[in-house]
Every structure is written in structure tokens, then in C-alpha cells.
Amino acid sequence: MNIALFTETYLPDINGVVTHVKSLRDGLVAAGHNVLVVTSDKNTRHHYINEGVLCCPAKEIKRFYGYGVAWPKSKTRLKMLEKFNPDIIHIHNEFGIGFSALGIAKKLKVPVVYTLHTMYDDYLYYVAPKPLIPVMKRISHRYLKYLTKRTNAITGPSLKVQEYLNDCGIAREVNVVPNPVDLDTFKLENVDAGKIEENKRKYGIKDDELVVCFCGRLGKEKSVDILLDYFAKEVKREDKIKLMIIGEGPARKDLMEQAKQLNIDDLVIFTGKVMHYDLVNIYPCAQLYVTTSLSDTNSISMLEAMALGLPVIHRLDELNAGQVVSGVNGYIFTNSKEMYKYMLEYKNMPEEDKLAFKYSVIESVKKSGQDTLAKYLLEIYERLEADKGDGKKRKTHILEVRQ
């Protein structure tokens, strides 16, 4: 099959959508399919194709971390897609590139699959002042209705996507397809013991300290402020527990100030921006991964840490049930006392039990690689192609996939 993946952001950018699209692309290519990634490029004034990626001129949007947004209509882009002759168009972003995908799909009479990666109600503060958020919310819901009405299948990493569409008044069912993790990169064989020791010295981590980490964009939707409050409320200095916050974002300065006001700034490590390829030697500086975020659908950062053996302490999120199973790959907590209890429980665990737990965690994500992701999506693509070949009116196919 010829498959076109439309995404506003792609390599060298690093974020959850990029990781997902890159894994899907690699899995599809490995399965013998032709893939064209269509993305925006703020550094070019002309459309060009390089190594299977169609780069489209874009305008930099500083509010979106400097990512580019492409103009939704382009005759050049249409001609290049006509030449590629896609059997399926798969949209991963809703902005200029995603909107253009709808027009191209209609022109070429190609089925459209849409993956909703982001619950945008949690992110509107990036683009609108607080008084305008209710208006922006209504506009975003209307646009989402417009987009989903013109797609043949919808996928999302968890049932949270289904709830979000319901809240938007969209009567469509979601194919649940879990996020992938790059198992070729995030594996124990790639860990460099020397670099880990170097990072521990850099961040002031002692051998007798338990380090729990979180990794992600530091925006208020990640609820890192709640994590700091919980940590300050329960953790004592004699516990020898430190919290490592990995990542950058607009809330970082406020979070650092919060840690200072809570008198835990000596117990909290803010790494700032870390390159994606360095994470394989950052995660092992910690023994646990912790998150209080309720905005994530199926955190790729969490999966990467799990692939290296870090059990997850996860705030209860009913719609993400099953991603973390207590005693198998982590713990579920509902309040600060439970979070603290699990930290101490792990810290006091015999070393042989910790090692067994570590390999249980790794085993739990072994089916989250690029090949599995491609397999899930190909089932949807092929069903839509079958409808097209039969001359039937294309319909939405439901294929619920669980980990």
C-alpha cells in the first residue's frame, strides 16, 4: 500500500506525536509498504521530498514551542500527492497540514484515518488569554466536529479520546490503538554505565538515595505542581528520596519557585531540556517513574522509562486503566499518602525482588513496539481499502485494541 502520514511536526522535533509517527512509519516500511510523511518545515520556502518526507513551507508559531504551521492549501502539495498516489491518508495533526489532508483526500478519493493525540481543552491556554478560553473551546469543538465528520476511521491511544469526543458532542467511536515505544533505543543493552555515573555526579545523586523521576513538557496540564505538593507533604529528608523532573516548558520557572516555597528545592532536580537520545542514560539515574498527570492518553515518556525497567507510580485515571497494573509494572495511587507509601515500599524491597520487578516492567511493554503499532493500523487501512475496492460507501470500522 501507499500510505501518506500527515503531521504538522516531525523530526528533528521531538515530542509524543513525532515519536508515534516515526514508529508507525518505520513499522509500515518494515512490513513492505510505501510511506510518505507530509510535514511542515519553517526553514524552507519550497516544497521538497527528502528520504520519504515531504517538507512543506510553514510559518513559525512561537506559542507552540516554535513549531511551524503550514498553509492548508497548495497546488504543489496536491500534485506531489497525486504522483505518490496514496491508498490511505492518515492525519496526525489538526492544523494546516491536517486540514490540507482533508482536501487532498477528497480530490483523490482516498479514505482518511485520523488519530487524535491531544485533548485540546487542556491546552487552550497556550493560544488564548483566560477570558477567551470558553470561546476558543467552542471553536475547537466545532472544528473537531468538522474534521471527524470527514474521516473514515478515528483512532486514539486510550479511552480518554472517546470521552473527549463525547464531551465535544461527536457521535463517533474510537479505535483504541496504544502508543508505541522505540524498543530498539530504550533497552538495557544500550545503557552506558559510565554515562549514568557521570549524570549522577552532574545532578548530585548519591548511591544511597532513591530517585523518582517524571519526564515531559512542563506545562500546567501535566500537573507537576500537584506532584510537588504531594512530595513536600509526605517525603522527609531522612527518607533519602529525591524527585527528578526531566524536561522543559513554560511552567518550569513557576515549578522551581514552587519547590523553593515548599522548602524542597534541595530534594528536587530540574534537568531542563534533555535530548531524546540522552534519555536512555538519564532514566536509569532513577529507580521509579511517577506521574500525577490526568491529561495524558498513553504517555510515551512513561513507556520509555518502563522499557528500561522503571516501575511507574501512577495517579488513578479510570480511563487509562490497564496501562499500569499494581505489582506487575507499577502502582496506582489516589492521594499523597499512597504515593509516599509506594515509594517507601519499593525503597525497602529486597534487591532480588527489585530485580524481578524490573524485568516484569520491561516484559509489560514488549508488545508496544513499531511492528505492533503498524499491525494495528494496517488492519484498519486494509478494511477501508476493501470497502473502496468493493465500490461500497466507506464506513467507520471499529477495532478496539488493548494492551
Side-chain angles (χ1 to χ4, degrees), residues 127-144:
V127 296
K130 191 172 183 179
L132 293 180
I133 286 181
V135 175
M136 289 299 297
K137 186 175 180 179
R138 288 195 295 271
I139 292 172
S140 69
H141 286 192
R142 287 175 185 170
Y143 178 64
L144 200 56

mmCIF file with all atom_site columns, all heavy atoms in Angstrom, residues 127-144:
data_model
loop_
_atom_site.group_PDB
_atom_site.id
_atom_site.type_symbol
_atom_site.label_atom_id
_atom_site.label_alt_id
_atom_site.label_comp_id
_atom_site.label_asym_id
_atom_site.label_entity_id
_atom_site.label_seq_id
_atom_site.pdbx_PDB_ins_code
_atom_site.Cartn_x
_atom_site.Cartn_y
_atom_site.Cartn_z
_atom_site.occupancy
_atom_site.B_iso_or_equiv
_atom_site.pdbx_formal_charge
_atom_site.auth_seq_id
_atom_site.auth_comp_id
_atom_site.auth_asym_id
_atom_site.auth_atom_id
_atom_site.pdbx_PDB_model_num
ATOM 1   N N   . VAL A 1 127 ? -2.850  29.410 23.588 1.00 0.00 ? 127 VAL A N   1
ATOM 2   C CA  . VAL A 1 127 ? -3.179  30.275 22.449 1.00 0.00 ? 127 VAL A CA  1
ATOM 3   C C   . VAL A 1 127 ? -4.173  31.380 22.785 1.00 0.00 ? 127 VAL A C   1
ATOM 4   O O   . VAL A 1 127 ? -4.421  32.256 21.952 1.00 0.00 ? 127 VAL A O   1
ATOM 5   C CB  . VAL A 1 127 ? -3.751  29.439 21.277 1.00 0.00 ? 127 VAL A CB  1
ATOM 6   C CG1 . VAL A 1 127 ? -2.697  28.483 20.751 1.00 0.00 ? 127 VAL A CG1 1
ATOM 7   C CG2 . VAL A 1 127 ? -5.004  28.673 21.694 1.00 0.00 ? 127 VAL A CG2 1
ATOM 8   N N   . ALA A 1 128 ? -4.758  31.352 23.980 1.00 0.00 ? 128 ALA A N   1
ATOM 9   C CA  . ALA A 1 128 ? -5.784  32.347 24.298 1.00 0.00 ? 128 ALA A CA  1
ATOM 10  C C   . ALA A 1 128 ? -5.690  32.780 25.757 1.00 0.00 ? 128 ALA A C   1
ATOM 11  O O   . ALA A 1 128 ? -5.408  31.958 26.642 1.00 0.00 ? 128 ALA A O   1
ATOM 12  C CB  . ALA A 1 128 ? -7.172  31.782 24.015 1.00 0.00 ? 128 ALA A CB  1
ATOM 13  N N   . PRO A 1 129 ? -5.926  34.072 26.036 1.00 0.00 ? 129 PRO A N   1
ATOM 14  C CA  . PRO A 1 129 ? -5.998  34.519 27.427 1.00 0.00 ? 129 PRO A CA  1
ATOM 15  C C   . PRO A 1 129 ? -7.208  33.892 28.114 1.00 0.00 ? 129 PRO A C   1
ATOM 16  O O   . PRO A 1 129 ? -8.171  33.477 27.458 1.00 0.00 ? 129 PRO A O   1
ATOM 17  C CB  . PRO A 1 129 ? -6.149  36.042 27.303 1.00 0.00 ? 129 PRO A CB  1
ATOM 18  C CG  . PRO A 1 129 ? -6.682  36.265 25.938 1.00 0.00 ? 129 PRO A CG  1
ATOM 19  C CD  . PRO A 1 129 ? -6.143  35.165 25.086 1.00 0.00 ? 129 PRO A CD  1
ATOM 20  N N   . LYS A 1 130 ? -7.168  33.821 29.427 1.00 0.00 ? 130 LYS A N   1
ATOM 21  C CA  . LYS A 1 130 ? -8.190  33.110 30.197 1.00 0.00 ? 130 LYS A CA  1
ATOM 22  C C   . LYS A 1 130 ? -9.626  33.520 29.860 1.00 0.00 ? 130 LYS A C   1
ATOM 23  O O   . LYS A 1 130 ? -10.496 32.651 29.715 1.00 0.00 ? 130 LYS A O   1
ATOM 24  C CB  . LYS A 1 130 ? -7.925  33.280 31.696 1.00 0.00 ? 130 LYS A CB  1
ATOM 25  C CG  . LYS A 1 130 ? -8.760  32.373 32.576 1.00 0.00 ? 130 LYS A CG  1
ATOM 26  C CD  . LYS A 1 130 ? -8.312  32.461 34.024 1.00 0.00 ? 130 LYS A CD  1
ATOM 27  C CE  . LYS A 1 130 ? -9.114  31.500 34.896 1.00 0.00 ? 130 LYS A CE  1
ATOM 28  N NZ  . LYS A 1 130 ? -8.665  31.562 36.316 1.00 0.00 ? 130 LYS A NZ  1
ATOM 29  N N   . PRO A 1 131 ? -9.928  34.834 29.696 1.00 0.00 ? 131 PRO A N   1
ATOM 30  C CA  . PRO A 1 131 ? -11.322 35.214 29.402 1.00 0.00 ? 131 PRO A CA  1
ATOM 31  C C   . PRO A 1 131 ? -11.839 34.663 28.069 1.00 0.00 ? 131 PRO A C   1
ATOM 32  O O   . PRO A 1 131 ? -13.048 34.521 27.890 1.00 0.00 ? 131 PRO A O   1
ATOM 33  C CB  . PRO A 1 131 ? -11.269 36.746 29.374 1.00 0.00 ? 131 PRO A CB  1
ATOM 34  C CG  . PRO A 1 131 ? -10.073 37.107 30.189 1.00 0.00 ? 131 PRO A CG  1
ATOM 35  C CD  . PRO A 1 131 ? -9.082  36.020 29.914 1.00 0.00 ? 131 PRO A CD  1
ATOM 36  N N   . LEU A 1 132 ? -10.918 34.355 27.139 1.00 0.00 ? 132 LEU A N   1
ATOM 37  C CA  . LEU A 1 132 ? -11.338 33.892 25.816 1.00 0.00 ? 132 LEU A CA  1
ATOM 38  C C   . LEU A 1 132 ? -11.366 32.372 25.683 1.00 0.00 ? 132 LEU A C   1
ATOM 39  O O   . LEU A 1 132 ? -11.771 31.842 24.648 1.00 0.00 ? 132 LEU A O   1
ATOM 40  C CB  . LEU A 1 132 ? -10.408 34.469 24.743 1.00 0.00 ? 132 LEU A CB  1
ATOM 41  C CG  . LEU A 1 132 ? -10.464 35.991 24.536 1.00 0.00 ? 132 LEU A CG  1
ATOM 42  C CD1 . LEU A 1 132 ? -9.489  36.395 23.442 1.00 0.00 ? 132 LEU A CD1 1
ATOM 43  C CD2 . LEU A 1 132 ? -11.879 36.440 24.186 1.00 0.00 ? 132 LEU A CD2 1
ATOM 44  N N   . ILE A 1 133 ? -10.961 31.662 26.725 1.00 0.00 ? 133 ILE A N   1
ATOM 45  C CA  . ILE A 1 133 ? -10.886 30.207 26.641 1.00 0.00 ? 133 ILE A CA  1
ATOM 46  C C   . ILE A 1 133 ? -12.246 29.564 26.365 1.00 0.00 ? 133 ILE A C   1
ATOM 47  O O   . ILE A 1 133 ? -12.338 28.643 25.530 1.00 0.00 ? 133 ILE A O   1
ATOM 48  C CB  . ILE A 1 133 ? -10.218 29.616 27.902 1.00 0.00 ? 133 ILE A CB  1
ATOM 49  C CG1 . ILE A 1 133 ? -8.699  29.893 27.846 1.00 0.00 ? 133 ILE A CG1 1
ATOM 50  C CG2 . ILE A 1 133 ? -10.481 28.119 28.030 1.00 0.00 ? 133 ILE A CG2 1
ATOM 51  C CD1 . ILE A 1 133 ? -7.921  29.361 29.008 1.00 0.00 ? 133 ILE A CD1 1
ATOM 52  N N   . PRO A 1 134 ? -13.356 29.995 27.005 1.00 0.00 ? 134 PRO A N   1
ATOM 53  C CA  . PRO A 1 134 ? -14.651 29.382 26.668 1.00 0.00 ? 134 PRO A CA  1
ATOM 54  C C   . PRO A 1 134 ? -15.011 29.520 25.192 1.00 0.00 ? 134 PRO A C   1
ATOM 55  O O   . PRO A 1 134 ? -15.550 28.588 24.582 1.00 0.00 ? 134 PRO A O   1
ATOM 56  C CB  . PRO A 1 134 ? -15.642 30.149 27.556 1.00 0.00 ? 134 PRO A CB  1
ATOM 57  C CG  . PRO A 1 134 ? -14.823 30.605 28.723 1.00 0.00 ? 134 PRO A CG  1
ATOM 58  C CD  . PRO A 1 134 ? -13.485 30.938 28.135 1.00 0.00 ? 134 PRO A CD  1
ATOM 59  N N   . VAL A 1 135 ? -14.707 30.684 24.596 1.00 0.00 ? 135 VAL A N   1
ATOM 60  C CA  . VAL A 1 135 ? -14.980 30.895 23.175 1.00 0.00 ? 135 VAL A CA  1
ATOM 61  C C   . VAL A 1 135 ? -14.096 29.982 22.335 1.00 0.00 ? 135 VAL A C   1
ATOM 62  O O   . VAL A 1 135 ? -14.570 29.331 21.381 1.00 0.00 ? 135 VAL A O   1
ATOM 63  C CB  . VAL A 1 135 ? -14.746 32.367 22.782 1.00 0.00 ? 135 VAL A CB  1
ATOM 64  C CG1 . VAL A 1 135 ? -14.901 32.553 21.278 1.00 0.00 ? 135 VAL A CG1 1
ATOM 65  C CG2 . VAL A 1 135 ? -15.708 33.272 23.532 1.00 0.00 ? 135 VAL A CG2 1
ATOM 66  N N   . MET A 1 136 ? -12.809 29.915 22.674 1.00 0.00 ? 136 MET A N   1
ATOM 67  C CA  . MET A 1 136 ? -11.878 29.065 21.928 1.00 0.00 ? 136 MET A CA  1
ATOM 68  C C   . MET A 1 136 ? -12.267 27.595 22.052 1.00 0.00 ? 136 MET A C   1
ATOM 69  O O   . MET A 1 136 ? -12.101 26.817 21.106 1.00 0.00 ? 136 MET A O   1
ATOM 70  C CB  . MET A 1 136 ? -10.454 29.270 22.446 1.00 0.00 ? 136 MET A CB  1
ATOM 71  C CG  . MET A 1 136 ? -9.844  30.617 22.093 1.00 0.00 ? 136 MET A CG  1
ATOM 72  S SD  . MET A 1 136 ? -9.727  30.856 20.296 1.00 0.00 ? 136 MET A SD  1
ATOM 73  C CE  . MET A 1 136 ? -8.617  29.538 19.850 1.00 0.00 ? 136 MET A CE  1
ATOM 74  N N   . LYS A 1 137 ? -12.807 27.224 23.214 1.00 0.00 ? 137 LYS A N   1
ATOM 75  C CA  . LYS A 1 137 ? -13.238 25.848 23.418 1.00 0.00 ? 137 LYS A CA  1
ATOM 76  C C   . LYS A 1 137 ? -14.373 25.494 22.458 1.00 0.00 ? 137 LYS A C   1
ATOM 77  O O   . LYS A 1 137 ? -14.364 24.426 21.834 1.00 0.00 ? 137 LYS A O   1
ATOM 78  C CB  . LYS A 1 137 ? -13.680 25.654 24.867 1.00 0.00 ? 137 LYS A CB  1
ATOM 79  C CG  . LYS A 1 137 ? -14.017 24.226 25.236 1.00 0.00 ? 137 LYS A CG  1
ATOM 80  C CD  . LYS A 1 137 ? -14.313 24.125 26.727 1.00 0.00 ? 137 LYS A CD  1
ATOM 81  C CE  . LYS A 1 137 ? -14.644 22.703 27.134 1.00 0.00 ? 137 LYS A CE  1
ATOM 82  N NZ  . LYS A 1 137 ? -14.909 22.592 28.586 1.00 0.00 ? 137 LYS A NZ  1
ATOM 83  N N   . ARG A 1 138 ? -15.337 26.397 22.315 1.00 0.00 ? 138 ARG A N   1
ATOM 84  C CA  . ARG A 1 138 ? -16.457 26.154 21.400 1.00 0.00 ? 138 ARG A CA  1
ATOM 85  C C   . ARG A 1 138 ? -15.964 26.062 19.954 1.00 0.00 ? 138 ARG A C   1
ATOM 86  O O   . ARG A 1 138 ? -16.400 25.208 19.175 1.00 0.00 ? 138 ARG A O   1
ATOM 87  C CB  . ARG A 1 138 ? -17.505 27.257 21.531 1.00 0.00 ? 138 ARG A CB  1
ATOM 88  C CG  . ARG A 1 138 ? -18.296 27.198 22.830 1.00 0.00 ? 138 ARG A CG  1
ATOM 89  C CD  . ARG A 1 138 ? -19.542 28.058 22.753 1.00 0.00 ? 138 ARG A CD  1
ATOM 90  N NE  . ARG A 1 138 ? -19.220 29.484 22.627 1.00 0.00 ? 138 ARG A NE  1
ATOM 91  C CZ  . ARG A 1 138 ? -19.034 30.294 23.664 1.00 0.00 ? 138 ARG A CZ  1
ATOM 92  N NH1 . ARG A 1 138 ? -19.122 29.814 24.915 1.00 0.00 ? 138 ARG A NH1 1
ATOM 93  N NH2 . ARG A 1 138 ? -18.763 31.568 23.475 1.00 0.00 ? 138 ARG A NH2 1
ATOM 94  N N   . ILE A 1 139 ? -15.026 26.944 19.597 1.00 0.00 ? 139 ILE A N   1
ATOM 95  C CA  . ILE A 1 139 ? -14.478 26.936 18.232 1.00 0.00 ? 139 ILE A CA  1
ATOM 96  C C   . ILE A 1 139 ? -13.727 25.635 17.959 1.00 0.00 ? 139 ILE A C   1
ATOM 97  O O   . ILE A 1 139 ? -13.893 25.021 16.894 1.00 0.00 ? 139 ILE A O   1
ATOM 98  C CB  . ILE A 1 139 ? -13.551 28.151 18.021 1.00 0.00 ? 139 ILE A CB  1
ATOM 99  C CG1 . ILE A 1 139 ? -14.366 29.451 18.042 1.00 0.00 ? 139 ILE A CG1 1
ATOM 100 C CG2 . ILE A 1 139 ? -12.790 28.026 16.699 1.00 0.00 ? 139 ILE A CG2 1
ATOM 101 C CD1 . ILE A 1 139 ? -13.516 30.706 18.027 1.00 0.00 ? 139 ILE A CD1 1
ATOM 102 N N   . SER A 1 140 ? -12.905 25.194 18.920 1.00 0.00 ? 140 SER A N   1
ATOM 103 C CA  . SER A 1 140 ? -12.123 23.971 18.718 1.00 0.00 ? 140 SER A CA  1
ATOM 104 C C   . SER A 1 140 ? -13.033 22.756 18.608 1.00 0.00 ? 140 SER A C   1
ATOM 105 O O   . SER A 1 140 ? -12.774 21.845 17.816 1.00 0.00 ? 140 SER A O   1
ATOM 106 C CB  . SER A 1 140 ? -11.112 23.777 19.852 1.00 0.00 ? 140 SER A CB  1
ATOM 107 O OG  . SER A 1 140 ? -11.744 23.468 21.073 1.00 0.00 ? 140 SER A OG  1
ATOM 108 N N   . HIS A 1 141 ? -14.133 22.745 19.380 1.00 0.00 ? 141 HIS A N   1
ATOM 109 C CA  . HIS A 1 141 ? -15.071 21.619 19.295 1.00 0.00 ? 141 HIS A CA  1
ATOM 110 C C   . HIS A 1 141 ? -15.761 21.594 17.933 1.00 0.00 ? 141 HIS A C   1
ATOM 111 O O   . HIS A 1 141 ? -15.955 20.510 17.357 1.00 0.00 ? 141 HIS A O   1
ATOM 112 C CB  . HIS A 1 141 ? -16.112 21.732 20.407 1.00 0.00 ? 141 HIS A CB  1
ATOM 113 C CG  . HIS A 1 141 ? -15.585 21.400 21.765 1.00 0.00 ? 141 HIS A CG  1
ATOM 114 N ND1 . HIS A 1 141 ? -16.402 21.214 22.868 1.00 0.00 ? 141 HIS A ND1 1
ATOM 115 C CD2 . HIS A 1 141 ? -14.312 21.210 22.211 1.00 0.00 ? 141 HIS A CD2 1
ATOM 116 C CE1 . HIS A 1 141 ? -15.656 20.928 23.922 1.00 0.00 ? 141 HIS A CE1 1
ATOM 117 N NE2 . HIS A 1 141 ? -14.388 20.931 23.550 1.00 0.00 ? 141 HIS A NE2 1
ATOM 118 N N   . ARG A 1 142 ? -16.120 22.771 17.422 1.00 0.00 ? 142 ARG A N   1
ATOM 119 C CA  . ARG A 1 142 ? -16.763 22.827 16.104 1.00 0.00 ? 142 ARG A CA  1
ATOM 120 C C   . ARG A 1 142 ? -15.805 22.351 15.015 1.00 0.00 ? 142 ARG A C   1
ATOM 121 O O   . ARG A 1 142 ? -16.209 21.636 14.092 1.00 0.00 ? 142 ARG A O   1
ATOM 122 C CB  . ARG A 1 142 ? -17.218 24.263 15.808 1.00 0.00 ? 142 ARG A CB  1
ATOM 123 C CG  . ARG A 1 142 ? -18.443 24.691 16.611 1.00 0.00 ? 142 ARG A CG  1
ATOM 124 C CD  . ARG A 1 142 ? -18.759 26.155 16.369 1.00 0.00 ? 142 ARG A CD  1
ATOM 125 N NE  . ARG A 1 142 ? -19.857 26.611 17.219 1.00 0.00 ? 142 ARG A NE  1
ATOM 126 C CZ  . ARG A 1 142 ? -20.225 27.880 17.353 1.00 0.00 ? 142 ARG A CZ  1
ATOM 127 N NH1 . ARG A 1 142 ? -19.568 28.823 16.687 1.00 0.00 ? 142 ARG A NH1 1
ATOM 128 N NH2 . ARG A 1 142 ? -21.237 28.208 18.137 1.00 0.00 ? 142 ARG A NH2 1
ATOM 129 N N   . TYR A 1 143 ? -14.553 22.758 15.127 1.00 0.00 ? 143 TYR A N   1
ATOM 130 C CA  . TYR A 1 143 ? -13.578 22.331 14.128 1.00 0.00 ? 143 TYR A CA  1
ATOM 131 C C   . TYR A 1 143 ? -13.367 20.826 14.184 1.00 0.00 ? 143 TYR A C   1
ATOM 132 O O   . TYR A 1 143 ? -13.270 20.148 13.154 1.00 0.00 ? 143 TYR A O   1
ATOM 133 C CB  . TYR A 1 143 ? -12.245 23.054 14.321 1.00 0.00 ? 143 TYR A CB  1
ATOM 134 C CG  . TYR A 1 143 ? -11.186 22.598 13.339 1.00 0.00 ? 143 TYR A CG  1
ATOM 135 C CD1 . TYR A 1 143 ? -11.346 22.815 11.971 1.00 0.00 ? 143 TYR A CD1 1
ATOM 136 C CD2 . TYR A 1 143 ? -10.063 21.915 13.765 1.00 0.00 ? 143 TYR A CD2 1
ATOM 137 C CE1 . TYR A 1 143 ? -10.402 22.380 11.056 1.00 0.00 ? 143 TYR A CE1 1
ATOM 138 C CE2 . TYR A 1 143 ? -9.104  21.473 12.863 1.00 0.00 ? 143 TYR A CE2 1
ATOM 139 C CZ  . TYR A 1 143 ? -9.283  21.714 11.507 1.00 0.00 ? 143 TYR A CZ  1
ATOM 140 O OH  . TYR A 1 143 ? -8.351  21.268 10.602 1.00 0.00 ? 143 TYR A OH  1
ATOM 141 N N   . LEU A 1 144 ? -13.324 20.293 15.401 1.00 0.00 ? 144 LEU A N   1
ATOM 142 C CA  . LEU A 1 144 ? -13.140 18.856 15.548 1.00 0.00 ? 144 LEU A CA  1
ATOM 143 C C   . LEU A 1 144 ? -14.330 18.088 14.965 1.00 0.00 ? 144 LEU A C   1
ATOM 144 O O   . LEU A 1 144 ? -14.154 17.028 14.355 1.00 0.00 ? 144 LEU A O   1
ATOM 145 C CB  . LEU A 1 144 ? -12.954 18.508 17.027 1.00 0.00 ? 144 LEU A CB  1
ATOM 146 C CG  . LEU A 1 144 ? -12.295 17.164 17.343 1.00 0.00 ? 144 LEU A CG  1
ATOM 147 C CD1 . LEU A 1 144 ? -10.936 17.050 16.680 1.00 0.00 ? 144 LEU A CD1 1
ATOM 148 C CD2 . LEU A 1 144 ? -12.162 16.968 18.844 1.00 0.00 ? 144 LEU A CD2 1
#
